[in-house]
Structure formats: structure tokens, C-alpha cells
Amino acid sequence: FRFRPYDLRFVRFVIHEYRGEAVAINNVEVGGEQPGQVYIPTETDVLALANNDVLEIAGGDVVTATYADELTQSELGQSRLLTGRLTATYFNGGVTPVAYDFERLPNGAVDTIRKELMRIDPGDRIIVEIIDYDRDGSDQRDTLKFEVFVNDGEPVEFEATETEPYTGVFTKEVDTTSDSEEGKLQVRLGDRVFCRYVDEQNTFPGHSVPREATVYVREPTDAQVRIVETRVIPPPAGNPPAPPLTKGGLGGVQVTFLPPDPEKETAGVAFEVPLTVEVIDPDAARDSRSTVTVKLTTTDGVELDVACAVSAAFTNSAPYGIENWALREGRFIGQAIMQLGGKNSPQQVPLSADMPRTLIGGPVIPEEEGGTAFERSLVTRVLNLTGNDIVTAGYADKLRASSRPQEVAAKGRLLSNGTLAATDRDYEHEVDRLHVGEKLFLMVGDPDRDTSDQRDAVQVEITTDRGEKEAVALVETLAHSGVFTGSVTLKPGEAPTAGNLSPDDPVIESYFGDEMKLRYVDEAASTADGKLEVAKTIPVVIGTDGLVAAFSKTFNNETLAVETRFHIAESYFELFKSHKKLGRDDQQTTDLEAGRRVLAEVMEDYPDPKYVPRIAYLQGQFAQELAQWDDAIASYELIIRRYPEHTLAADAQYKLAQCHEERGDFDQALESYVTLAATYPKSPLIANVMIRISDRFYKDENFPVAAQVGEKFLEKFESHEFASRMAFRIGQCYYKAEDYPKAGESFDRFGEIFPKDELAALAFFWAGESYRQGNNNRLAFQRYQDCRWKYPETEAAQYARGRLALPEMLQQFEADANAIANDNQ
């Protein structure tokens, strides 16, 4: 059969139809285009190849090596057959235009970061990277040929060189220019530069094929920006409810990112997920590490800069089969964590466990805010907003095809799904039944109902089968918590009157066996129609348990009553510590139970949320003294999470770090200490925090870090009562780290700042030791002399006299004497 030539790797001969009982083929030949060019049969006899010393292989072959191990350690002494397999194949080569970024690491080294190049300006350099392991043919740096051409122009041939022997990665730098210049590629705005490499050996398509990559010469484009609209679908009925303000783990809810809607001016953003901004600006997408900055501004005046990175996330419109589609289209994504707050709320907050750690892009943290890279990794900047705020995402488009530079913007607003729960008096666990005569505690979580800097309110409708129908107002626990709580008393009544609720003393008339229906309507929800109705039905049980309690005094003033009980609980705590120190276990147990009982009575009689921080703080102290770390940590975290502006919040953060440290989890303790410094920078506890951190690193023999913390301490707290001890510890750290020059300087600085301190004599002695260890005998001799002259009666002076008797010190003494004699002459 004769047909036009094809590049083939495999040939299959199929007979679809024949006559007779079988097919007999006498001879098969596969030839080439030229006469006499025969490929099959081969010149060498295939059967003879099995008898030579060369292993002939082809692409796709599997080479199997076997070895019979006749002597083994098995009980039966049986031999075993060991095999190994190797597949002979080809690599599909690829061409990628790249560039490099260079970043300096904290240790002074420079890190090279590879990035994929997509767009250039005339005059920029293109680095063509070709990966083809088949072309690594020697133990030297091999070379290969490739072509570069602009648009449909004539190709220019270049030679790429292997980066190192045996890498199979070949690179070549190609320079561009806007004018005609020898040795450079002339390009203009809007041009396309094609890099073509012929891959001769591969598995797909199996024959010689050109591999191409394209670099675009940048031209101005009009940018687009939008706030990605998000919706949260609540979990199916029967699933355990998620906490109202969960932002990290979403408790089984499903998050949907909606496509752009041109007719919608303001996008709705679910509070449970980070705010996501999309920018389309091809001329800004130069390479895979390109970023743009979007400024988020709320109606209240809060501003936050967000870095947007090249990303194809949160879209279903990416075309199939196009690599790096986002870079080609110039699509950038940036995310920021939202937090309830106003213009005066702190914008830099510590990263908590329920915050997402894998933001795309993320907020820009200015370098001038200080702190090490490690400290900056523990904090983030958030967008403070309320349910009334409109968020504007503004992007400064500097290069536009249609006009001069201008800012393009998009708008969004907060949406959240409200939750409703009937809880116990601590607002921690939901209840499934109610009792007449007791209180019903209600909690609504709805962040977008936080609309002001005051404690806002929402309403919950309560109805019963007997005709009771009341609207109960729930008040926000804090100015910007988004959690609303309140309680009503269940009063027995067989014939209730609807609409007679008193705000001062809210009472619901119910009776044994009633079913109480709770209903909360969220008018601005993250649902398809924008509304959400949450309802619950709770039965009122038949009968109640009686309670008899003894009391000694009734207070008409609530503040006086609460303060008195707090003083009683604190007194029990002091008794508890004293009895624990004396080893009186029975008495300390009695004190503990009595103190906790008083705190429980406060919550029962006065369930106002404003008393929760003091109660949690005392409970945490009880648990900490008993080494019940989990209970103590939970109490302190309650204060930090729900009452961050309370006067006890900084102390709770410090106590939390202490619990982690005493528990043995120093990494978590360090994070908590750093959080205290970042969140409450003016707290008087910062000095104690820095002392504990330095001491911990000193005990762990991480002397350089301990010294750095000590130096920061002296900068901020030079007049602290432990400043001299910390200054001396700095010198010790450098000495033990064998950085003797710095150690000597640190001890010298101690002598200058604290000349009358009891450690001053030792500082001079150890300065001499440091300089002597650092082979600076002249300074060492001077420090030993200063020690024995200034502090002759101290033990350090005795040690200094002993060091002065060393041979090298005597030599230094003679050298100084000779120098003085020469000066006199």
C-alpha cells in the first residue's frame, strides 16, 4: 500500500475480511519515503539480539531485573525471588517564559524565587526555560536549539544551555527593545512573542512536535473590579447548630460564590467567610507573582488595603485545557477577614483559632507597625464594619486604553444568617424543655443586626398554645458582638393575656404541658430570597422541682448585692490558697465549693452579661490553682473572646499564657504572650511578659533570642525594678552563645547604666572574661583592673586579681608599661 508519508511510532495491520479458514502472510515490510528505505524488517536479526551483551529497549518497554536469593532467614529456609522494574519512556518537553525575584532572608542569605512570565514591556528580558530530560545526554551542561519570533515574523534561532549537569532544564536569556538593536528582539505594544522548541522524543503525541509558549507585550487595558457575592446555605435539619460567630470551621454549612450580576449594584457578602474582591486587569498581570492593591472603605470611614494575587479561585468560568488561565486573563483575588466594629475599633488583632489562615492575597500590614516577621505572622488586620455599612472596593487603574488613569470601584454589604437558641443560664448549652417558675434564656446570633456603636437590640416572638403572644427584646452583649441575649420568667397562668409584656420585668404566662414557640425573622439574610425565619418549639414540662435556700440578707441595691457576693467569692479564693499552701486538702475543697457556689448564685440571681467577666476570671483562678488547665483556659478565653475591651481582658490574656506555660506548652504560651503585647500594648503586664519570654528562651539555651528580648525590654522599661537583672542577663546570653565581643559590650553597658547595683562588680569581671575569651587581652586587662580598683572588697575583685596573674595578662601589663615609658621619653 502506498500513501503519503506520516510520522509514526506504532504500526498496526488489521485484516477486516478474508476468505477461507485462516490468513497467511508471507512477508511484511514497512518502508520510508525514499526507495530502498526499509524500517521493518530491521537490518539486525531480532532473534540474534537476545544473544549479545547489549540490552535493546524502546519507548514503553518495562525492564524487569530478577535475582534468586537462595539463602534466606525464613524458618523453612526457602529461597525467594527478588524483582525490580524500570519503565523506559520519554518525557514530554515544555517551554515556559520565566523571570526571577530575589528576596533577602532574615539570616542575610538571598532566596531566588522563580515565577512564570506572561507580559513584558519593550526593553524587558525574557528567560526561556525548556524542560526536557531526554536532552540531558552527557555529564556536561548540554545545549539545545529553539526559535523565537514576533507575531508572524521570521524566527530567530537561539541556543539554550543546561542549568547544571543532569538537570534536564535549559535556559536562555532573550533581550527585547523598542528600537532596532543588534542582538535584541524588537517588539512593540500589543505584539506577541512566540518561543518554539521541537520536542523530538515524547509520549504524546508520540512523534516530533513543536512546543510553544507565548509572551505578550503589555498594552493598556480597562480594569474591572467587583466584590464577589457569597451566600451561606445552613446545614440540613437535624445537624448540630454551628456557633453564632464561627468563621473558621463553618459547622457543616455550605458556602456558595455567585457569578457577577451586572444589574446588581451592591453585592451581598456572607459574614461567615472572608470578604473576597476580584480584579480583572490584564496589563497588571506581568507574571505569576504579580499583585495589585485594592482599598476597602466602609460608610463609617474604616479603610483597609488588601493585596490581590493572581488566582483562578472561586470561579466556574475557567476554560478547559488552558494553563494559568488567571494569569493570561489578568484575574486577581484578594481576601480580608471581616469583624464587627466601628472606626475606633482596633484594626490589628491577633489571629485566633477560628480565623482562616489561608487567605488569598490578604490585608497589607505596613512595615512601620514594627515587630519581627514572627510577630507579624501572629496578627492580622481586619475590616471593621456593621450591618449598616456599605463597603466600597476601590482600585486605581493606572493604565487604561480608553482614558486617563482613574479609580474603578464596586460595592458590597454585610449579610448573615441569624441563629436562635434557648440556653441555660450560662448561654453555653441549649435546653430542650422548660419549667414553670424558672427563666427562659434566649440568644440570637446575627452579626448584620449590629448597626451602631451602641448595644443594639432585636426581637423574638414567643407564642403558646393557650394564646400567649409576646415580642421579647434581646440586647447585644457588647457594642460589636452581634450576639443578643435576654431572659424572661415563666409565670404560671392558664388564661394568658397577649401583649402585656413589661420591659422592666418580662414575664411569659404559661402552664404545665404548654408548647412554647420561639420565632426570629432575619430580614437581611444570606439566602436566595434575602430573608430567613428561624423557629423553635420547646415543651413546658409538667411539674417542677422545689428548692429551699437559706439567706442572711436581702439587698435592695443590685450593685451592692453583686459586689458583696464578689467579695465573698474572692475571700473564699484567698482562704483556698492559704489552705492549699498549708496542705489542708479538706478545707481547701470546702473553700473551692463555697466560692464556686457563690459565683453560681450571682449568675442565677443577676444574669446580666456585664458580670460574666469577673465570674469567669475568678473561676479561672480557682481552676489554675488546682492545675485544671482546660477549665482555666476556657474561662480566660471566654473573657478574651467575648469581652476584649473589659478591664480584666489583659489580665485574662496574661493568665492564659501562664496556664499554657505551666502546662508545658511553651509554643502556645509564647503565642499568647505575643498576642498580649499586640492587643494590649499599654498594659503594665508587658514587662512581666518579656521577662518570662526571655527567661524561657534562656532555659531552653536559645541564647541569641533571649538576648534580643532582653534588649527590647531595656529599650521600653529602662526604669523597671528588674531592669538591672535583665541587662546582666543579656551579657550572660551573649557569653554563653560565644559571641564574646557583644558580651563584653553588654557588660560594659551594664557598668555605665547601673554603676551602684550589687551586680556591677560581677559585670566588670565578666566583661574581662568576655574580652579575654574573644582574644582582646588589652580590654580584658582594663576590665579586671577596673573591677579590683572600683570594688576592692567584693568577691568579684578576688577573681579579677586571680585573672591578672595569668601569663597573657602579665604580658599585657608589660606592654602597657612599655608604652607608657615610650610616651614619657
Side-chain angles (χ1 to χ4, degrees):
F1 303 92
R2 295 291 178 181
F3 44 84
R4 63 186 181 87
Y6 286 97
D7 290 328
L8 301 176
R9 188 176 296 278
F10 303 101
V11 177
R12 176 180 296 168
F13 180 32
V14 181
I15 298 176
H16 292 284
E17 190 175 320
Y18 61 91
R19 295 180 180 180
E21 297 180 354
V23 176
I25 298 176
N26 183 46
N27 186 45
V28 175
E29 287 186 3
V30 178
E33 186 177 5
Q34 303 298 328
Q37 188 178 15
V38 179
Y39 297 119
I40 297 177
T42 60
E43 297 180 1
T44 306
D45 185 3
V46 177
L47 297 178
L49 299 179
N51 299 322
N52 61 18
D53 295 333
V54 179
L55 181 64
E56 288 83 11
I57 59 175
D61 284 348
V62 178
V63 181
T64 304
T66 60
Y67 167 68
D69 186 7
E70 298 180 356
L71 300 177
T72 64
Q73 295 181 349
S74 62
E75 295 180 357
L76 301 178
Q78 296 177 342
S79 62
R80 60 176 181 170
L81 187 66
L82 305 178
T83 62
R85 286 182 173 82
L86 177 70
T87 301
T89 184
Y90 294 103
F91 184 78
N92 296 328
V95 183
T96 308
V98 299
Y100 297 99
D101 281 340
F102 302 95
E103 292 186 358
R104 185 171 296 279
L105 302 178
N107 61 1
V110 177
D111 187 21
T112 303
I113 302 176
R114 174 187 177 274
K115 57 184 181 181
E116 184 174 343
L117 188 65
M118 181 59 65
R119 293 175 178 85
I120 61 169
D121 290 328
D124 289 347
R125 170 174 289 177
I126 304 172
I127 301 177
V128 180
E129 179 187 78
I130 301 172
I131 301 178
D132 192 357
Y133 303 129
D134 306 330
R135 299 299 300 269
D136 176 29
S138 69
D139 58 356
Q140 306 297 322
R141 295 176 62 189
D142 300 301
T143 60
L144 54 78
K145 304 288 186 181
F146 70 96
E147 295 177 341
V148 176
F149 56 96
V150 180
N151 300 330
D152 56 352
E154 291 295 325
V156 181
E157 187 176 73
F158 291 90
E159 184 176 78
T161 306
E162 197 172 10
T163 55
E164 296 289 341
Y166 308 118
T167 63
V169 180
F170 303 79
T171 59
K172 175 62 179 177
E173 298 174 348
V174 179
D175 292 323
T176 64
T177 180
S178 57
D179 301 321
S180 178
E181 192 172 342
E182 186 177 356
K184 294 184 178 181
L185 206 64
Q186 185 176 5
V187 295
R188 292 182 175 83
L189 297 182
D191 283 349
R192 291 185 295 174
V193 180
F194 296 94
C195 307
R196 176 182 295 169
Y197 158 68
V198 178
D199 185 9
E200 298 177 352
Q201 301 287 355
N202 53 75
T203 60
F204 182 82
H207 55 75
S208 179
V209 62
R211 311 287 189 183
E212 280 190 356
T214 307
V215 179
Y216 299 91
V217 182
R218 224 165 46 124
E219 58 182 346
T221 57
D222 292 345
Q224 304 173 39
V225 62
R226 77 177 179 108
I227 295 179
V228 179
E229 193 160 6
T230 52
R231 292 290 183 271
V232 169
I233 302 174
N239 283 26
L245 294 179
T246 297
K247 294 178 70 62
L250 292 175
V253 302
Q254 180 182 351
V255 179
T256 303
F257 294 85
L258 302 181
D261 185 356
E263 299 181 357
K264 199 164 188 178
E265 182 179 353
T266 304
V269 181
F271 180 75
E272 293 81 357
V273 295
L275 185 143
T276 304
V277 181
E278 178 190 67
V279 177
I280 306 293
D281 191 7
D283 63 62
R286 297 171 62 93
D287 53 65
S288 55
R289 284 174 54 84
S290 295
T291 60
V292 297
T293 301
V294 172
K295 181 179 289 295
L296 301 178
T297 307
T298 68
T299 309
D300 194 30
V302 178
E303 294 184 349
L304 178 67
D305 289 337
V306 176
C308 302
V310 176
S311 175
F314 315 125
T315 180
N316 297 322
S317 60
Y320 177 76
I322 297 181
E323 296 183 1
N324 284 334
W325 165 80
L327 179 59
R328 186 182 297 270
E329 297 296 320
R331 183 176 188 266
F332 299 84
I333 291 292
Q335 292 183 302
I337 300 173
M338 294 181 288
Q339 179 173 279
L340 295 177
K343 187 174 183 179
N344 298 323
S345 301
Q347 200 166 24
Q348 181 168 307
V349 299
L351 271 172
S352 59
D354 58 351
M355 288 184 178
R357 303 292 180 106
T358 56
L359 296 179
I360 300 177
V364 178
I365 300 180
E367 291 289 339
E368 59 268 16
E369 291 189 1
T372 64
F374 173 72
E375 292 173 346
R376 289 197 298 271
S377 67
L378 299 177
V379 298
T380 186
R381 295 177 70 87
V382 296
L383 179 65
N384 292 308
L385 75 169
T386 64
N388 279 350
D389 280 330
I390 300 295
V391 182
T392 302
Y395 170 64
D397 187 11
K398 298 179 181 179
L399 294 176
R400 295 180 63 83
S402 58
S403 62
R404 291 179 297 177
Q406 71 179 55
E407 181 174 289
V408 291
K411 295 182 178 180
R413 65 166 304 163
L414 181 65
L415 292 178
S416 65
N417 293 331
T419 60
L420 172 64
T423 70
D424 57 9
R425 67 182 70 257
D426 296 325
Y427 297 100
E428 292 182 355
H429 306 287
E430 289 199 48
V431 297
D432 56 1
R433 63 195 66 187
L434 302 173
H435 296 81
V436 174
E438 296 185 0
K439 286 190 174 183
L440 166 62
F441 297 91
L442 298 173
M443 180 171 68
V444 168
D446 195 358
D448 60 22
R449 293 301 298 272
D450 171 39
T451 57
S452 69
D453 289 337
Q454 308 300 320
R455 294 173 62 190
D456 302 298
V458 299
Q459 285 192 337
V460 173
E461 183 183 83
I462 302 178
T463 59
T464 65
D465 296 336
R466 296 178 180 271
E468 176 70 309
K469 183 176 182 180
E470 306 290 351
V472 179
L474 307 185
V475 181
E476 198 171 10
T477 57
L478 294 172
H480 295 293
S481 67
V483 179
F484 305 81
T485 58
S487 64
V488 293
T489 303
L490 303 184
K491 179 182 177 181
E494 293 190 61
T497 302
N500 63 346
L501 186 74
S502 173
D504 297 332
D505 185 19
V507 172
I508 296 293
E509 297 171 290
S510 62
Y511 206 67
F512 305 107
D514 268 353
E515 278 198 347
M516 193 161 293
K517 299 179 178 62
L518 313 176
R519 177 173 172 266
Y520 171 67
V521 178
D522 186 0
E523 298 291 344
S526 177
T527 57
D529 60 356
K531 292 186 178 181
L532 178 67
E533 181 177 312
V534 185
K536 289 183 178 295
T537 301
I538 306 178
V540 179
V541 301
I542 300 176
T544 58
D545 297 332
L547 178 64
V548 178
F551 62 91
S552 59
K553 185 173 180 60
T554 301
F555 296 91
N556 293 325
N557 187 301
E558 177 181 328
T559 303
L560 180 60
V562 173
E563 288 297 328
T564 301
R565 296 197 183 187
F566 274 131
H567 288 317
I568 293 173
E570 290 168 351
S571 300
Y572 277 123
F573 178 66
E574 294 301 326
L575 282 173
F576 165 76
K577 290 198 296 182
S578 300
H579 288 146
K580 181 182 178 185
K581 186 176 181 180
L582 296 172
R584 298 177 180 176
D585 296 338
D586 295 339
Q587 290 176 310
Q588 76 177 34
T589 302
T590 303
D591 299 334
L592 174 65
E593 293 175 353
R596 287 179 169 174
R597 184 176 63 253
V598 172
L599 295 176
E601 290 174 356
V602 175
M603 285 301 298
E604 181 177 351
D605 297 338
Y606 307 98
D608 196 314
K610 67 183 179 182
Y611 302 128
V612 172
R614 290 184 66 179
I615 294 173
Y617 188 77
L618 281 172
Q619 289 175 338
Q621 286 185 302
F622 276 119
Q624 187 175 358
E625 288 291 333
L626 290 171
Q628 297 173 351
W629 309 122
D630 291 336
D631 293 341
I633 290 172
S635 297
Y636 295 137
E637 285 183 340
L638 172 66
I639 302 172
I640 299 166
R641 185 176 63 254
R642 294 181 56 181
Y643 307 93
E645 299 178 2
H646 196 273
T647 54
L648 289 174
D651 288 342
Q653 183 71 47
Y654 182 72
K655 292 284 188 181
L656 174 65
Q658 275 187 324
C659 290
H660 286 303
E661 184 177 358
E662 293 169 4
R663 189 184 199 174
D665 188 358
F666 181 67
D667 290 338
Q668 192 66 37
L670 179 60
E671 182 174 344
S672 299
Y673 282 135
V674 174
T675 300
L676 173 63
T679 311
Y680 310 99
K682 296 182 180 180
S683 172
L685 296 170
I686 301 298
N688 295 339
V689 166
M690 298 184 72
I691 291 173
R692 295 181 76 95
I693 292 175
S694 177
D695 186 61
R696 183 68 190 191
F697 280 115
Y698 184 82
K699 290 178 180 178
D700 291 343
E701 298 185 0
N702 192 342
F703 301 119
V705 176
Q708 292 175 11
V709 175
E711 289 176 341
K712 289 286 186 181
F713 177 88
L714 288 182
E715 291 177 8
K716 296 183 178 181
F717 309 102
E718 185 175 349
S719 59
H720 194 272
E721 58 178 323
F722 296 130
S724 62
R725 300 297 185 271
M726 185 61 76
F728 194 83
R729 172 60 62 82
I730 295 172
Q732 287 180 306
C733 291
Y734 283 127
Y735 185 87
K736 292 193 174 185
E738 299 183 359
D739 191 348
Y740 299 117
K742 277 193 175 182
E745 293 173 2
S746 300
F747 287 121
D748 284 347
R749 187 166 59 250
F750 182 97
E752 295 173 1
I753 301 175
F754 308 102
K756 297 181 180 181
D757 193 88
E758 60 183 9
L759 294 175
L762 283 173
F764 277 103
F765 172 77
W766 281 105
E769 287 289 279
S770 302
Y771 288 127
R772 184 173 65 85
Q773 293 290 348
N775 297 321
N776 192 336
N777 291 334
R778 180 173 173 274
L779 290 180
F781 178 78
Q782 293 176 0
R783 298 304 178 269
Y784 291 140
Q785 289 283 49
D786 290 341
C787 180
R788 74 183 185 90
W789 284 338
K790 294 181 179 181
Y791 309 96
E793 304 298 330
T794 62
E795 189 176 4
Q798 298 178 15
Y799 295 145
R801 295 186 189 99
R803 291 292 190 268
L804 289 171
L806 294 174
E808 58 267 28
M809 294 297 104
L810 294 176
Q811 292 177 3
Q812 185 62 42
F813 174 77
E814 293 177 358
D816 289 350
N818 293 333
I820 293 174
N822 292 334
D823 291 341
N824 293 335
Q825 291 177 0

